[in-house]
Amino acid sequence: MPLADPLRLFPQTLLLALSLLLVSLAEDVRAESPLSFNRDIRPILSEHCYACHGPDAETRYGELRLDDRNDAVRDRDGYHVIEAGNADESELIARVSSADPDIAMPPADHAEPLSTEQIETLRRWINEGASYEVHWSFAPLQAVSPPDVEDREHPIDAFIAARLQEEGYAFSPQADPRVLIRRLSFDLTGLPPELSDVQTFAENPSDEAYQAFTRKYLSSPHYGERMAIYWLDLVRYADSLGFHGDQERSVSPYRDYVIRAFNDNKPFDEFTIEQLAGDLLAEPTLESRVASTYNRLNRASGEGGVQPKEYLAKYAADRVRTLGTVWLGTTVGCAECHDHKFDPYTIKDFYSFAAFFADIKEQGIVSGARYIEQLPVPTPEQSEQKQKLTTRIAAAEKNYRKARPDLQAGFEEWLATAKDAQPQWTPVVPSQATSTGGATLSVDDEGNVLASGKSPDNDTYRIVLPLNQASASVIRAIQLEVLPDPSLPSNGPGRAGNGNLVLQAVKATVGGKPVQWSRAMATHAQDGFPAENLLKGNRGWALLPETGKRQALTLIPQQPIVAPDDDSSEELVLELVQNHGTSHCIGRFRVLATSNDLTDGLAFPDADVVKLLADPSEGKQAQLLEYYRTHTPLLRKERNELAQLRRELETLEKAILTTLAVTATEPREMRVLPRGDWMDDSGAVVTPSVPEFLPAISVQGNRADRLDLAQWLASAENPLVARTFVNRVWMLFFGQGLSRSVDDLGAQGEMPSHPELLDWLSVEFIRSGWDVKRLVELIVTSETYRQASSVSPELRRNDPFNRLYARQSRWRLDAEMVRDNALSVSDLLVETVAGPSVKPYQPAGYWAQLNFPKREYQHSDGSSQYRRGLYTHWQRTFLHPSLLAFDAPPREECTARRERSNTPLQALVLLNDPTYVEAARALAENILQQGGDSFESRLEWAWNRVLARTPTELELTTLRTQWEKSQRYYEQNPDQAAQVVNVGLSPVSKNLPAADVASWMTVTRTLLNLHETISRY
């Protein structure tokens, strides 16, 4: 191999040497400047010392606080742990540098010893005076001015350029226009740019054009969706409870609120207040009440055996942890069991925060997996339709109730004849009674069926009733009167632990033909036909123990049962299917045999109406008239019209989405729980308050509430909220925050790389009126953002994590965007904004372990299958596997930063998930229809569609070989071609040969699997 040209090599070598010299000089200058406690000292003490000598009094040793300067420098009977200005006389230096294991600090079993460099840093700091600083994130926000840097008008660029110059570096060139517009589109909408946008910007990559595209994407409805993805991680949004059976719940209107808030650029302070306390506003709107669903997004349990007190404690603790992470950016949750070991949060602070939420009406157990109250959230169209139906119903009701002479005459005639219409029940003694579950059934002399022996959880009783015992030709109803018994739990009538008798179903046959029921009623009425219609359908009937009260189940067949009028042996066979313990004294059976039609309420009134007929008082007359109206043929047309309108309204109301309502009630008592033990009531009672080291809270009433808390968070005096939010917004556009520990801005977190820039952005954010879009626009229009993401060997070596921002960063797209991108470039994506959650394709059996109830996953059909990943049903314990593969969190807890992995499973998802196979087929069809006639033109079209660039010669050659091989295979195996092109619900083009589509699918599946395709760079 020939040697490199020395004349060409020399300038590069010289440039590298000069760069290294500049870096060295910059380090020397920095080394001579005074040390910063927050930047240089606090991280050392926090890592090695604060656990034993920090804020937590319970675990503090030696009565020493190294987080408190007054305590650290005080005289201790002739010696000082820190003697300011004299490191040699400071016990701290002696201990951390000692080789004696008996006195060396930190102890060997606690932490790693300090490095020589760290010890020297502490020594130098003490000699400089051992000055302390308020932790940077807790310090009040101060207005700062951008540094004066030549040619850097943009404030962000001025801060970044000043640090780069200090370190001996400069900005990277601006990214290629095609790369930059693709980056901007993904960052602001979560979707790839349209081909027309790419071509337009590539032809004119001016500042004006870039700013125009920035405004276009910020005004896109998809901007709100992109921002919502991250916010929903923070607030742990999900469509299921999270504990035990992980049952589904309806909260999607809250997601729509978040999307709408970002799209409408709702000020962040309002956004904060509405979520924490929208229900407490003076005049809460439907939107603000939906926003307050935030308070109900915690995990909950519908498991019958939970301890309500325990789970109320869990819910309270979850809300405090989430509040601390979302708005304060600190690990308040560390104070749940004891004072925080690193930050000044006490355990009292934790439960005082919890007390703010003690007014939320809730239960520890979510009965039947349903919350106490559902808030209907109609769309504008549904609201309009509901108003129209309500108006029509009112008019129909008025017409139905207007006085009419013929109606009054009919009523009086009915009164005269109805008093004698009493139901006549005929006892029927069973001729046979058996059990399929092993119980022994017998019939006593009075016709009562008794059970003894085995009592299985599930059983079926077969009862045979001879119909020749009936006293009339037509049987209109059958009644089972169950009886209590002192030998049964709670006096019966069942043998379950609580005395309950549960019937799942009652099946009947006459002459081998099944009997269909039209109506079933359980009642506690004393006599007569039961009027109370409690339980319907095939869900079963629970006959609860009520001592001394008659309990009956009445069943009315759809068609009357014709009883024989002779001595024939026609029989009615009943099968009583029951669970939860069988009965002991089942009871007796009766039939209602009459020539009257039970559906005619006037000819055959029920027992309650008969009692009213016997009372001539004026009040009872009004009740009887109302009853007459509901049955008379004179009002049949009016009743039918009114019933139809009410059914339409009921159908509409069932279609309206609901969310979990937040209702304030009398706050429950909140105590400090020592060690977080929910059973320990020895802790002090606390009321809502905020930590003393933060600005004071303003209280409007006698007791601080969630509204006061929200306004405290959203005040300009609170230093944490703006810093936390700005730091995370920065992360969305650079892959990391100015402080990389976006979930912990406390002592254990990382010092910002550019603290002055973070504060300047935070102050500007508040000054702008908490304008989120302005903040985003400020960031993405900076040269810092527009840099190329390519990295030189020197920068990779000296700044591997890009803390200087001498380049842009690159990362894999979030899970939802990976899917959205595939659907978008294949023209399958349905871009409808907002709406209920949807269910993409999912492997069969993935939900097999979900219980209470057992569930079978049914994927969505039609357009719902192609919604954005943001709308995917979020099952906490079984998150959709495609989302899970690409590191989406289950949202059981607040997630401030998603981790990004690179695994073979991701490639398998992209190759085999039906969503991606279907997208590859749709993309292949578009290539064949729009990409021209040659392989080259088609591949170039595809490459531009997917990656916003043209393929290289190597890429073209490689894929040509792959395509040719696939074309031969599928032409020889048409059944395989048909199989692969028919994956998915979208229609397959009938005008394209299956072999051609399948062979191009090989190319498109490769394209969709490329690292570049699923990356933002």
Side-chain angles (χ1 to χ4, degrees), residues 916-948:
Y916 296 98
V917 177
E918 184 178 15
R921 187 254 296 166
L923 180 58
E925 291 177 339
N926 289 341
I927 292 170
L928 291 169
Q929 293 167 339
Q930 304 175 44
D933 298 325
S934 68
F935 174 83
E936 289 79 5
S937 67
R938 288 172 172 176
L939 188 66
E940 183 172 335
W941 186 94
W943 217 271
N944 272 290
R945 184 72 183 99
V946 177
L947 295 173

Side-chain angles (χ1 to χ4, degrees), residues 641-715:
E641 179 185 2
L642 187 57
Q644 176 60 31
L645 289 172
R646 285 172 173 167
R647 283 193 295 269
E648 291 179 19
L649 180 60
E650 181 181 7
T651 300
L652 173 64
E653 289 177 336
K654 287 180 179 179
I656 293 174
L657 289 175
T658 63
T659 192
L660 302 182
V662 176
T663 303
T665 186
E666 185 66 24
R668 63 180 181 273
E669 182 182 81
M670 190 65 63
R671 290 178 177 270
V672 171
L673 300 180
R675 310 301 300 173
D677 184 356
W678 63 274
M679 293 188 291
D680 188 342
D681 289 332
S682 66
V685 174
V686 293
T687 54
S689 63
V690 299
E692 292 182 358
F693 69 92
L694 290 173
I697 188 172
S698 176
V699 180
Q700 302 301 316
N702 296 326
R703 171 190 169 107
D705 59 18
R706 284 181 284 117
L707 183 57
D708 297 320
L709 173 66
Q711 291 171 337
W712 173 77
L713 289 169
S715 68

Side-chain angles (χ1 to χ4, degrees), residues 396-412:
E397 179 83 24
K398 183 178 180 181
N399 185 46
Y400 167 69
R401 295 199 171 279
K402 70 180 179 181
R404 288 168 40 180
D406 59 336
L407 193 67
Q408 183 63 32
F411 174 59
E412 292 173 356

Side-chain angles (χ1 to χ4, degrees), residues 210-230:
Y210 180 79
Q211 290 168 0
F213 275 114
T214 299
R215 290 190 292 271
K216 173 184 176 180
Y217 294 148
L218 282 173
S219 61
S220 164
H222 303 308
Y223 162 78
E225 294 176 316
R226 187 270 173 274
M227 297 296 285
I229 290 174
Y230 180 66

Side-chain angles (χ1 to χ4, degrees), residues 117 125 141 190 196 265 326 395 431 473 637 695 766 796 823 998 1012:
E117 181 182 1
W125 168 66
L141 282 167
S196 57
N265 201 26
V326 173
S431 61
S473 60
K637 178 182 177 181
I766 295 174
R796 187 183 297 278
L823 293 177
E1012 183 179 350

Side-chain angles (χ1 to χ4, degrees), residues 242-247 300-304 306 850-852 855 877:
F243 284 126
H244 192 58
D246 198 22
Q247 293 88 354
S301 178
E303 196 267 310
V306 304
L850 272 176
N851 288 297
F852 312 108
R855 277 152 280 178
T877 55

Side-chain angles (χ1 to χ4, degrees), residues 416-433:
T417 61
K419 294 180 180 180
D420 299 326
Q422 291 277 7
Q424 300 297 322
W425 291 97
T426 302
V428 179
V429 178
S431 61
Q432 185 180 351

Side-chain angles (χ1 to χ4, degrees), residues 325-397:
T325 303
V326 173
W327 278 281
L328 302 177
T330 50
T331 54
V332 179
C334 293
E336 181 179 355
C337 301
H338 48 70
D339 290 349
H340 203 295
K341 292 186 180 299
F342 306 100
D343 295 325
Y345 295 103
T346 65
I347 189 172
K348 179 177 180 293
D349 291 334
F350 183 91
Y351 291 98
S352 296
F353 271 135
F356 280 106
F357 302 97
D359 70 325
I360 296 175
K361 183 182 179 182
E362 63 183 341
Q363 297 174 339
I365 177 175
V366 182
S367 178
R370 295 183 182 275
Y371 277 72
I372 298 170
E373 183 181 354
Q374 299 284 321
L375 175 66
V377 188
T379 64
E381 295 77 13
Q382 288 172 327
S383 294
E384 181 180 1
Q385 187 179 358
K386 184 176 180 179
Q387 179 59 47
K388 289 179 178 178
L389 278 173
T390 302
T391 301
R392 292 178 63 191
I393 288 172
E397 179 83 24

